[in-house]
């Protein structure tokens, strides 16, 4: 495994992180989840990402049960806050009240004293950014979180947050967690430049586009019976990809680059994302330990300038897919 600083901070995170969205606490049995997490740790992954909303806290519980067996100082654990966790008017969003209460709830579920990274899962238009940053800064002063970041915030709000933090002497946000992969590249226009200018690293999720970039989904064919797309409880978000034959054909053509390099298509997709500017880590979602073992090999893949140009030329016709979603 290789490690990078999280943005301009001093925190070192593994280039490949393990996430728990749509997997642990839901579609993956707990014993399999345990094996995936253990395999990740043994492979050198130190960065584990989750969120309170993932299966209403169940993902945090599963993750915490496994990670308790490891030295806490060897782990970088991240969670998130924003989405509803109850029916009450204050059971959602980025108010000081909700952030404080949900941080404590996440720590209890994880069985930990602090979070390495606490992220605002979305931008909240109903709460002043200053209030949110004030709460995050106080949590850092209390030692409950070490660093703060955001996820899927628009560029103008990221910039506004940094200006407020500087004016009020709040600790700066160190990361952004956006969707980013060969297919969906919307952050390249505004979010990425603003983040880099303010010292924020990208912790990208869905680097394999929920499995689309594994090549398992082929144009004109039904989804494999054991795939995420065939799972009614989690497969709906894949339909926008599966209905685009041009996209699926392009993914199949990417396989020639992987074959030339004698690597798997997932390894190619991860190696590509890790070569993009501003990326600190790529979060994988694994339902089998073998997927973790395959994915982590991407950190050792070298992509020449010629290979990168060939890949980017092939991707050009679908480069606006993220804008069309």
């Amino acid at each position: 495994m290789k490690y990078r600083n999280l943005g301009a901070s001093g925190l070192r995170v593994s280039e490949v992180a393990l996430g728990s969205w749509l997997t642990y606490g839901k579609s993956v049995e707990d014993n399999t989840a345990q094996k995936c997490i253990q395999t990740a740790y043994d492979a050198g992954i130190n960065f584990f990402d989750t969120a309170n909303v993932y299966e209403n806290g169940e993902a945090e519980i599963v993750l915490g049960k496994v990670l308790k067996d490891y030295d806490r100082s060897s782990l970088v654990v991240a969670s998130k806050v924003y989405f509803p966790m109850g029916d009450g008017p204050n059971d959602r969003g980025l108010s000081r009240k909700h952030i404080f209460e949900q941080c404590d709830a996440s720590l209890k579920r994880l069985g930990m004293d602090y979070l390495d990274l606490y992220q605002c899962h979305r931008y909240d238009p109903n709460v002043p950014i200053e209030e949110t940053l004030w709460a995050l800064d106080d949590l850092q002063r209390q030692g409950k979180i070490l660093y703060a970041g955001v996820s899927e915030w628009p560029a103008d709000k990221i910039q506004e947050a940094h200006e407020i933090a500087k004016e009020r002497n709040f600790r700066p946000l160190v990361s952004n967690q956006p969707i980013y992969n060969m297919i969906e590249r919307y952050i390249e226009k505004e979010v990425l430049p603003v983040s880099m200018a303010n010292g924020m690293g990208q912790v990208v999720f869905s680097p394999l586009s929920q499995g689309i970039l594994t090549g398992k989904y082929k144009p004109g064919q039904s989804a494999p019976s054991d795939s995420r797309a065939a799972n009614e409880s989690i497969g709906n978000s894949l339909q926008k990809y599966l209905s685009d034959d041009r996209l699926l054909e392009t993914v199949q053509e990417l396989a020639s680059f992987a074959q030339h390099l004698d690597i798997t298509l997932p390894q190619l997709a991860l190696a590509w994302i890790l070569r993009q500017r501003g990326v600190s880590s790529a979060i994988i979602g694994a339902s089998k330990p073998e997927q973790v073992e395959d994915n982590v090999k991407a950190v050792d893949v070298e992509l020449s300038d010629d290979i990168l140009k060939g890949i980017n030329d092939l991707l050009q016709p679908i480069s606006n897919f993220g804008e069309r979603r």
Side-chain angles (χ1 to χ4, degrees):
M1 183 52 61
K2 297 178 181 178
Y3 304 87
R4 299 180 180 182
N5 283 59
L6 182 58
S9 79
L11 183 64
R12 300 283 285 175
V13 295
S14 49
E15 291 187 348
V16 173
L18 184 66
S20 51
W21 176 50
L22 297 179
T23 50
Y24 309 145
K26 184 172 186 176
S27 64
V28 177
E29 296 293 334
D30 287 358
N31 62 336
T32 303
Q34 178 180 355
K35 292 177 182 177
C36 287
I37 296 167
Q38 291 171 336
T39 299
Y41 186 87
D42 291 343
I45 289 178
N46 72 345
F47 194 7
F48 297 88
D49 179 79
T50 188
N52 61 350
V53 75
Y54 295 165
E55 295 313 300
N56 201 36
E58 287 301 315
E60 290 180 321
I61 292 173
V62 171
L63 184 64
K65 285 181 178 178
V66 182
L67 294 184
K68 67 178 176 57
D69 293 331
Y70 300 114
D71 184 350
R72 181 65 182 88
S73 65
S74 69
L75 306 170
V76 177
V77 180
S79 194
K80 310 181 194 72
V81 59
Y82 168 77
F83 287 107
M85 291 297 289
D87 297 326
N90 289 305
D91 292 336
R92 67 199 66 208
L94 297 178
S95 68
R96 181 177 177 84
K97 176 178 174 62
H98 189 60
I99 288 174
F100 267 59
E101 291 173 349
Q102 287 306 307
C103 181
D104 284 344
S106 288
L107 290 173
K108 183 177 181 179
R109 286 189 290 265
L110 286 162
M112 296 179 177
D113 295 325
Y114 66 92
L115 288 166
D116 297 275
L117 178 65
Y118 201 37
Q119 303 155 103
C120 299
H121 212 159
R122 293 294 185 272
Y123 168 70
D124 188 345
N126 299 311
V127 176
I129 292 179
E130 183 173 357
E131 178 177 337
T132 297
L133 296 177
W134 173 35
L136 294 173
D137 193 70
D138 277 350
L139 286 176
Q140 289 177 86
R141 292 178 187 276
Q142 294 171 10
K144 292 183 177 180
I145 68 174
L146 304 186
Y147 300 88
V150 300
S151 175
E152 290 283 19
W153 275 32
D156 62 328
K157 298 307 178 183
I158 289 176
Q159 182 60 40
E160 183 179 351
H162 278 278
E163 291 173 359
I164 292 173
K166 186 174 182 179
E167 178 183 339
R168 293 297 304 272
N169 200 30
F170 292 145
R171 291 165 178 79
L173 300 170
V174 302
S175 64
N176 176 45
Q177 186 175 134
I179 187 170
Y180 190 29
N181 53 56
M182 287 177 162
I183 297 171
E184 299 193 81
R185 301 169 62 174
Y186 85 93
I187 71 167
E188 293 176 350
K189 288 186 176 180
E190 297 180 353
V191 172
L192 191 52
V194 167
S195 296
M196 292 179 67
N198 287 289
M200 295 173 72
Q202 305 301 299
V203 180
V204 306
F205 72 88
S206 200
L208 300 182
S209 196
Q210 297 187 60
I212 295 294
L213 288 169
T214 66
K216 70 176 70 173
Y217 303 108
K218 297 177 173 57
Q221 297 184 23
S222 299
S225 59
D226 62 345
S227 67
R228 179 176 293 183
N231 187 322
E232 293 183 0
S233 66
I234 61 175
N236 289 337
S237 60
L238 282 168
Q239 297 311 309
K240 62 183 178 182
Y241 305 103
L242 300 179
S243 62
D244 193 324
D245 282 346
R246 183 179 64 170
L247 185 153
L248 295 179
E249 290 166 358
T250 299
V251 172
Q252 294 303 309
E253 293 178 37
L254 282 169
S256 63
F257 289 98
Q259 292 169 0
H260 174 74
L261 295 168
D262 194 25
I263 59 176
T264 65
L265 190 50
Q267 289 168 3
L268 178 70
L270 286 164
W272 181 88
I273 202 71
L274 291 172
R275 284 290 300 272
Q276 305 309 302
R277 61 188 187 128
V279 172
S280 295
S281 185
I283 304 172
I284 61 170
S287 57
K288 301 175 183 177
E290 295 79 14
Q291 293 172 332
V292 178
E293 294 171 346
D294 176 88
N295 289 176
V296 297
K297 294 176 182 177
V299 303
D300 293 320
V301 174
E302 295 185 5
L303 301 178
S304 68
D305 290 341
D306 287 343
I307 290 290
L308 282 170
K309 183 180 185 305
I311 292 173
N312 289 328
D313 287 347
L314 178 60
L315 294 174
Q316 188 59 40
I318 61 169
S319 61
N320 67 338
F321 182 86
E323 297 174 2
R324 293 186 282 124
R325 64 191 173 107

